[in-house]
């Protein structure tokens, strides 16, 4: 039998200051957990057409039946209506969050309403308290908020501390939620939803255990997975250099967006590569709870702050996406500068990808004269020249310092709609693009993926396969749809997508079986398709239609490794996707 | 020759907790971080690294000396053996161990004492912990 605590949904109402637990066996038995359960809770909790920053927008956290029990089932899914795209919002984070929720005795946490005054939520197993956070509000750095809560709350080592920075408080539409200092619910603006609820932080301590009926069967599958993770090379990429391994190969292909995608090759890529960072700055690697890989790469950066050998030493997490967005995209070719910018942006609680793309647009708009020093408050952004300019720009975005920075805080789409420059405003469906100018599959994935990002269907990977062995557009779309469905299964459990090579669906099925959950491969794929439809339905309900997405001219100007893309081809592929994913009744041309 | 688990490379710890899950699985047929004879926690913010606490298998164990009912007895060569039937849940042993290697099982109100089996060491991806033999002559 499955451990029944997974069925518990903790509902917290910040308006009423109340909470209750409901057993939602109905949801978990059908949709397993994670993304599957979350999208159903979102349908239940989020009324059509609500302002994402109003109390009616819920925050939903879910974990799954494998969470805490198997290696790398280590992620938490967050769902909400996105303040950035104004439709579907989903974001994942690891750290200690998933194990803490599971071992506190919940499968999901739903936060409703809004507080009048700043608060944080403290959950210690079944004890739930809404506490005053007045003193934490306005704190300069999200790191400091963590340091305070670490002292006043129990459960060292067995807890998660989720918190927002200044950007979330000021409702920057791509503000993130920082988890355990170095992990994030990064994309689509969960931080702003926290801010709109006056919710500064959530601390969750889980110290309960999950009973296993058939320990023998469970241990067998557990050890098989553990062995493959630690003894084969399947996951070595993530441990050795980490995701920053991608910088040089993507640059070599000509797929690394550079200077607001005016180029797809960065002549200084070597300086900000995973190799350079590892050799010069890597201090240590750490892991999420119950992940023996340890992909979290932490750099140590020593900065002189005064003459006479006065140094401060910062510990800064790095990954491929922040290096792209705050490095090549801004023309910054110094690893030290990129690290400083990452540290600043995470302290402010901004999503690194969106912030980088926003500042890249601002740089080009400034150089083209669409904006002047009046708007920038005398900053003169120039590709890679002075990282201080970008540090100040990020601070001003987080503070919404003037009308211009406030537009930037609403995202590239909003800023370019106001000041011009939509042709080089690099969003898809309102979300700033990730770092893959690999070809048609990536771009179609950004447009059709529920999160309007690379995360849903990994088109960049299909593009790279097509470079080795050419593939028809139909074949690409087929793979895109299938990958999205598989990911919907993995994120319902919630398995880290870095482990997708380990958790093939037959193994997923066997792992579930040790817990008494029987699902065939066909049933799992069906579930993946059903979740795909549920997400699309939510997007369509909130006004999104991939047929009407604005595609910036810049995507077609800068060649990809597969040549120059055309709008006609991309539109044709979007239509193919809607057919192949069986979404014709949801999205109409 | 008796064995004990030693922390041999604390700076290599990535904080994955696989050792704790191994102990809780083997000893309690469950998955969790509450009931495990080996304990891992952060040293005050993840950037500072981790602390791994495990029984040092003392030659003259203070925990056993503090036990009023002789439920905890010194093991020949170092460490302790627990006879739970004699335990009155007084927590003297828990207080006596200054490294906090005795974990309190709140559910059963009994101490959790390392059995020196080394199962946890098989699940450390970075060789932070190791099973090693100890002799009376080695006072480490």
């Amino acid at each position: 039998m499955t451990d029944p605590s997974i069925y518990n949904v903790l509902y917290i109402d910040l308006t009423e200051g109340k909470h209750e637990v409901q057993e939602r066996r109905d949801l978990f038995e059908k949709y397993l957990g994670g993304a599957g359960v979350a999208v159903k809770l979102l349908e239940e909790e989020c009324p059509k057409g609500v302002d994402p920053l109003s109390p009616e927008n819920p925050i939903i956290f879910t974990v799954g039946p494998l969470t805490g029990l198997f290696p790398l089932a280590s992620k938490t899914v967050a769902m909400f209506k996105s303040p950035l795209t104004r439709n579907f919002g989903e974001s994942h984070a690891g750290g200690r969050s998933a194990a803490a929720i599971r071992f506190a005795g919940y499968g999901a946490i739903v936060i409703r309403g809004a507080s009048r005054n700043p608060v944080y939520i403290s959950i210690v197993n079944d004890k739930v308290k809404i506490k005053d956070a007045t003193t934490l509000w306005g704190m300069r750095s999200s790191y400091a908020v963590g340091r305070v809560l670490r002292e006043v709350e129990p459960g060292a080592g067995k807890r998660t501390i989720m918190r927002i920075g200044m950007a979330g408080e000021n409702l920057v539409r791509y503000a993130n939620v920082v988890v355990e200092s170095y992990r994030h619910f990064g994309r689509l603006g969960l931080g702003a939803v926290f801010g709109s609820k006056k919710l500064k932080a959530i601390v969750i301590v889980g110290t309960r255990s999950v009973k296993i009926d058939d320990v023998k069967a469970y241990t067998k599958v557990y050890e098989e997975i553990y062995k493959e993770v630690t003894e084969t090379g399947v996951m070595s990429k993530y441990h050795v250099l980490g995701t920053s391994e991608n910088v040089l190969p993507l640059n070599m292909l000509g797929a690394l967006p550079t200077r607001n995608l005016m180029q797809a090759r960065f002549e200084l890529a070597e300086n900000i590569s995973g190799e350079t960072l590892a050799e010069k700055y890597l201090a240590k690697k750490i892991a999420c709870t119950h992940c023996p890989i340890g992909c979290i790469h932490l750099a140590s950066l020593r900065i002189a702050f005064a003459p006479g050998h006065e140094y401060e030493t910062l510990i800064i997490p790095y990954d491929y996406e922040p290096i792209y967005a705050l490095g090549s995209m801004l023309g910054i070719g110094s690893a030290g500068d990129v690290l400083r910018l990452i540290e600043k942006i995470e302290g402010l609680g901004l999503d690194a990808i969106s912030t980088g793309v926003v500042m890249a647009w601002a740089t080009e708009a400034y150089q083209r004269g669409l904006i002047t020093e009046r708007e920038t408050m005398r900053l003169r952004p120039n590709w890679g020249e002075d990282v201080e300019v970008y540090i100040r720009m990020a601070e001003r975005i987080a503070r919404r310092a003037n009308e211009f920075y406030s537009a930037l805080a609403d995202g590239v789409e909003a800023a370019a709609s106001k000041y011009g420059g939509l042709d080089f405003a690099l969003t898809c469906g309102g979300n700033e693009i990730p770092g893959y100018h690999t070809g048609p599959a990536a771009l179609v994935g950004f447009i059709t993926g529920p999160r309007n990002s690379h995360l849903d269907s990994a088109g960049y990977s299909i593009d790279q396969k097509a470079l080795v062995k050419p593939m028809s557009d139909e074949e690409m779309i087929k793979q895109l749809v299938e990958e999205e469905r598989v990911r919907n299964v993995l994120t319902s459990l919630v398995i880290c997508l870095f482990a997708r090579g380990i958790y093939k669906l037959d193994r997923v099925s066997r792992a579930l079986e040790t817990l008494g959950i029987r699902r065939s491969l066909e049933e799992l794929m069906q579930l993946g398709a059903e979740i795909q439809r549920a997400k699309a339905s939510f997007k369509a309900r909130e006004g999104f239609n991939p047929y009407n997405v604005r595609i910036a001219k810049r995507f077609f100007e800068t060649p990809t490794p597969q040549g120059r893309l055309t709008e006609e081809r991309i539109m044709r592929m979007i239509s193919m996707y809607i057919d192949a994913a069986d979404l014709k009744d949801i999205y109409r041309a | 020759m008796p064995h004990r688990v030693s922390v041999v490379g604390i700076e290599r710890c990535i904080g994955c907790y696989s050792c704790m899950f191994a102990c809780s699985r083997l000893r309690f047929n469950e998955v969790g971080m509450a009931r495990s004879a080996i304990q891992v926690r952060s040293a005050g913010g993840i950037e500072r690294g981790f602390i791994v606490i495990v029984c040092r298998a003392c030659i003259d164990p203070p925990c056993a000396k503090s036990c009023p009912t002789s439920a905890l007895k010194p093991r020949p060569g170092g460490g302790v053996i627990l006879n739970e039937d004699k335990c009155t849940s007084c927590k003297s042993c828990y207080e006596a161990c200054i490294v906090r290697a005795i974990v309190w099982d709140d559910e059963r109100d009994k101490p959790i004492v390392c059995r020196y089996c080394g199962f946890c060491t098989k699940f450390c991806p970075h060789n932070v912990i190791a099973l090693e033999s100890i002799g009376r002559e080695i006072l480490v």
Side-chain angles (χ1 to χ4, degrees):
Chain A
M1 261 312 285
T2 318
D3 171 66
S5 70
I6 193 76
Y7 304 135
N8 291 339
V9 179
L10 171 63
Y11 291 90
I12 300 169
D13 191 316
L14 290 176
T15 307
E16 303 284 331
K18 287 179 181 162
H19 68 273
E20 60 166 342
V21 176
Q22 280 181 32
E23 202 193 72
R24 294 301 305 270
R25 194 180 281 261
D26 56 325
L27 289 183
F28 283 89
E29 280 186 346
K30 191 153 183 223
Y31 300 100
L32 294 175
V37 167
V39 73
K40 291 290 144 185
L41 284 168
L42 187 68
E43 282 170 10
E44 288 178 12
E45 298 288 327
C46 185
K48 187 180 171 183
V50 292
D51 176 352
L53 299 176
S54 71
E56 285 72 38
N57 190 15
I59 297 170
I60 294 156
F61 293 108
T62 51
V63 296
L66 303 186
T67 299
L69 272 55
F70 283 92
L72 284 136
S74 49
K75 291 262 202 164
T76 303
V77 170
M79 254 183 226
F80 48 96
K81 182 171 176 182
S82 166
L84 184 63
T85 63
R86 292 177 167 81
N87 59 67
F88 181 71
E90 177 181 356
S91 188
H92 301 174
R96 307 264 169 262
S97 62
I101 292 171
R102 180 88 203 250
F103 295 128
Y106 308 106
I109 298 171
V110 175
I111 299 165
R112 298 163 166 161
S115 170
R116 282 168 171 274
N117 307 308
V119 290
Y120 76 94
I121 299 172
S122 159
I123 301 171
V124 182
N125 298 323
D126 55 351
K127 299 208 168 35
V128 181
K129 286 185 181 146
I130 299 168
K131 298 184 177 180
D132 195 305
T134 308
T135 321
L136 300 175
W137 205 256
M139 220 170 233
R140 192 179 296 268
S141 159
S142 69
Y143 292 106
V145 176
R147 283 189 202 116
V148 173
L149 292 175
R150 216 179 276 151
E151 295 299 318
V152 298
E153 290 293 320
K158 291 164 187 161
R159 66 184 170 193
T160 184
I161 304 179
M162 307 173 180
R163 69 269 194 179
I164 58 168
M166 210 191 281
E169 292 179 12
N170 292 327
L171 311 179
V172 175
R173 289 181 180 271
Y174 44 91
N176 70 9
V177 174
V178 180
V179 177
E180 281 69 89
S181 305
Y182 305 121
R183 298 289 91 187
H184 315 87
F185 291 103
R187 309 239 63 198
L188 295 167
L190 181 61
V193 184
F194 267 54
S196 73
K197 297 186 180 310
K198 287 277 193 291
L199 177 59
K200 184 67 185 175
I202 305 175
V203 184
I204 305 169
V205 183
T207 62
R208 298 156 41 106
S209 298
V210 171
K211 292 281 177 205
I212 301 288
D213 286 341
D214 191 348
V215 173
K216 219 175 136 190
Y218 162 72
T219 303
K220 188 168 170 276
V221 179
Y222 181 99
E223 291 192 358
E224 174 190 311
I225 292 169
Y226 187 89
K227 241 180 134 143
E228 191 168 329
V229 170
T230 53
E231 291 175 17
T232 69
V234 180
M235 293 202 59
S236 64
K237 162 183 172 178
Y238 297 103
H239 179 67
V240 179
L241 289 179
T243 55
S244 63
E245 184 194 73
N246 285 331
V247 174
L248 289 183
L250 286 171
N251 187 56
M252 207 139 61
L253 288 176
L256 178 67
T258 301
R259 297 185 181 89
N260 205 34
L261 196 58
M262 290 198 274
Q263 299 147 273
R265 270 205 183 88
F266 187 35
E267 69 285 359
L268 300 172
E270 193 78 47
N271 297 350
I272 57 168
S273 66
E275 287 80 354
T276 300
L277 279 154
E279 274 162 32
K280 293 194 179 161
Y281 297 99
L282 181 59
K284 63 161 69 189
K285 301 171 198 171
I286 55 172
C288 298
T289 302
H290 220 157
C291 165
I293 290 299
C295 80
I296 306 170
H297 285 58
L298 298 180
S300 167
L301 180 69
R302 195 176 80 162
I303 300 170
F305 63 86
H309 300 292
E310 295 289 1
Y311 297 113
E312 56 180 335
T313 300
L314 305 174
I315 302 292
I316 306 158
Y318 64 87
D319 262 302
Y320 170 70
E321 298 292 348
I323 295 172
Y324 134 74
L326 304 171
S328 64
M329 200 60 169
L330 297 174
I332 295 177
S334 141
D337 283 353
V338 173
L339 289 171
R340 281 189 62 197
L341 204 43
I342 293 175
E343 200 266 348
K344 170 54 74 179
I345 275 164
E346 308 212 326
L348 292 167
L350 290 161
D351 175 48
I353 300 180
S354 285
T355 308
V357 175
V358 164
M359 296 200 299
W361 173 86
T363 305
E364 191 171 342
Y366 175 76
Q367 298 198 334
R368 287 171 181 265
L370 296 176
I371 50 167
T372 66
E373 281 181 56
R374 207 173 68 88
E375 282 78 28
T376 64
M377 297 166 75
R378 303 171 75 171
L379 292 180
R380 288 185 289 239
N382 190 10
W383 308 116
E385 208 165 71
D386 184 2
V387 73
E388 284 297 333
V389 169
Y390 291 110
I391 286 175
R392 280 193 213 130
M393 199 178 258
E395 282 169 346
R396 287 170 189 180
I397 291 171
R399 287 206 329 264
R400 288 184 179 268
N402 66 7
E403 201 184 325
F404 171 66
Y405 286 107
S406 196
L408 292 186
D410 287 338
V412 164
E413 194 92 17
S417 302
K418 186 165 178 171
Y419 294 93
L422 274 167
D423 288 348
F424 54 91
L426 296 174
T427 60
C428 283
N431 192 12
E432 287 77 18
I433 57 157
Y436 306 95
H437 194 54
T438 49
L443 185 54
V444 173
F446 301 164
I447 295 163
T448 58
R451 283 179 274 180
N452 296 110
S453 184
H454 63 302
L455 302 155
D456 297 303
S457 47
Y460 58 93
S461 166
I462 298 167
D463 280 332
Q464 288 175 69
K465 276 188 237 159
L467 282 173
V468 181
K469 194 172 164 240
M471 195 187 299
S472 67
D473 289 356
E474 286 81 2
E475 179 57 26
M476 283 192 185
I477 293 300
K478 194 175 150 241
Q479 290 194 20
L480 212 57
V481 170
E482 180 162 317
E483 181 67 18
E484 195 181 323
R485 289 175 177 171
V486 169
R487 285 179 176 224
N488 281 337
V489 176
L490 297 181
T491 58
S492 292
L493 292 170
V494 179
I495 292 162
C496 174
L497 290 174
F498 291 170
R500 59 192 184 273
I502 304 277
Y503 283 93
K504 302 284 186 204
L505 287 192
D506 59 326
R507 184 171 271 152
V508 167
S509 174
R510 285 198 296 124
L512 285 171
E513 200 180 337
T514 68
L515 307 175
I517 303 169
R518 273 170 236 288
R519 290 292 168 95
S520 67
L521 297 193
E522 294 71 35
E523 286 170 326
L524 288 174
M525 277 310 274
Q526 251 167 36
L527 178 69
E530 200 176 330
I531 296 168
Q532 189 176 38
R533 281 183 63 80
K535 289 178 178 178
S537 298
F538 186 88
K539 285 183 84 76
R541 191 192 88 175
E542 299 300 327
F544 176 81
N545 188 340
Y547 284 116
N548 305 336
V549 163
R550 177 190 72 81
I551 312 175
K553 280 213 178 78
R554 180 61 48 81
F555 291 114
F556 306 116
E557 289 164 357
T558 305
T560 75
Q562 297 180 69
R564 228 180 267 275
L565 303 176
T566 64
E567 185 155 9
E568 298 68 41
R569 181 178 177 198
I570 296 301
M571 289 314 296
R572 207 164 51 235
M573 288 175 77
I574 290 171
S575 172
M576 278 181 207
Y577 166 90
I578 290 166
D579 281 358
D582 196 17
L583 302 175
K584 266 185 293 194
D585 54 325
I586 296 172
Y587 294 132
R588 287 170 205 281
Chain B
M1 196 80 89
H3 288 77
R4 72 170 180 189
V5 175
S6 272
V7 181
V8 295
I10 188 59
E11 297 303 332
R12 297 197 290 256
C13 180
I14 59 172
C16 72
Y17 298 65
S18 298
C19 55
M20 290 176 68
F21 286 111
C23 187
S24 111
R25 192 161 69 237
L26 182 77
R27 296 272 304 268
F28 300 97
N29 283 345
E30 67 182 23
V31 188
M33 294 186 284
R35 299 205 288 183
S36 161
I38 184 167
Q39 289 287 322
V40 182
R41 60 181 174 83
S42 77
I46 287 172
E47 66 274 18
R48 300 231 167 96
F50 297 92
I51 295 170
V52 177
I53 303 168
V54 63
C55 176
R56 292 185 39 77
C58 304
I59 297 293
D60 188 14
C63 57
K65 278 194 279 192
S66 78
C67 179
T69 60
S70 297
L72 266 180
K73 280 189 163 168
R75 179 179 65 150
V80 285
I81 298 165
L82 173 69
N83 179 347
E84 226 178 63
D85 296 340
K86 288 189 183 175
C87 173
T88 59
S89 309
C90 73
K91 273 193 161 176
S92 301
C93 57
Y94 174 82
E95 299 295 339
C97 179
I98 63 160
V99 299
R100 286 276 183 260
I102 290 182
V103 177
W104 202 257
D105 180 347
D106 289 324
E107 202 171 303
R108 289 161 57 252
D109 202 24
K110 296 284 177 196
I112 297 171
V113 177
C114 183
R115 288 181 185 162
Y116 317 106
C117 69
F119 187 65
C120 55
T121 65
K122 293 181 187 163
F123 292 90
C124 178
H126 281 209
N127 302 318
V128 173
I129 45 177
L131 188 67
E132 57 181 26
S133 63
I134 45 168
R136 267 185 190 286
E137 70 280 4
I138 311 169
L139 291 167
V140 282

